[in-house]
Amino acid sequence: MPIIKILPHPEYCPQGAEITAPAGTSICEALLDNKINIEHACDMSCACTTCHVIVREGFNSLNELDESEEDLLDRAWGLEPNSRLSCQALLAQKDLTVEIPKYSINHAKEIH
């Protein structure tokens, strides 16, 4: 199983973390399954950008972006060339390093 290294985030993961998840799992699902409560306002339906992450290592091992994800990413706060919506980025067999941006486009957070 691939290892996902999450860089420290002041709210979601202050100390950083390393988690594992089976290939085919989305980054968002892996984070949530491991009690890293990343925002996902659209319930992982690729309709918002609140689950935006920056893949610092292992980006090319993920599934390809589709047009819907590309269009939404244009609205993400802190967009970088290696940005993904974590609900759409599916793990392969390669380890990843992921950064959760400090902000999202949400003005209010939902509690799931």
Side-chain angles (χ1 to χ4, degrees), residues 67-104:
E67 191 174 318
S68 298
E69 183 180 359
E70 286 180 351
D71 290 344
L72 281 170
L73 277 170
D74 288 339
R75 300 186 331 204
W77 186 91
L79 182 67
E80 294 191 15
N82 50 345
S83 288
R84 290 295 303 261
L85 297 182
S86 65
C87 70
Q88 300 301 301
L90 303 179
L91 299 171
Q93 295 298 329
K94 189 170 181 180
D95 296 346
L96 300 178
T97 299
V98 174
E99 180 180 349
I100 302 170
K102 187 173 180 182
Y103 301 106
S104 78

Side-chain angles (χ1 to χ4, degrees), residues 32-51:
L32 294 171
D33 288 348
N34 285 277
K35 310 268 188 278
I36 300 170
N37 295 318
I38 188 171
E39 286 188 71
H40 55 290
C42 70
D43 287 326
M44 298 182 273
S45 65
C46 194
C48 73
T49 63
T50 59
C51 71

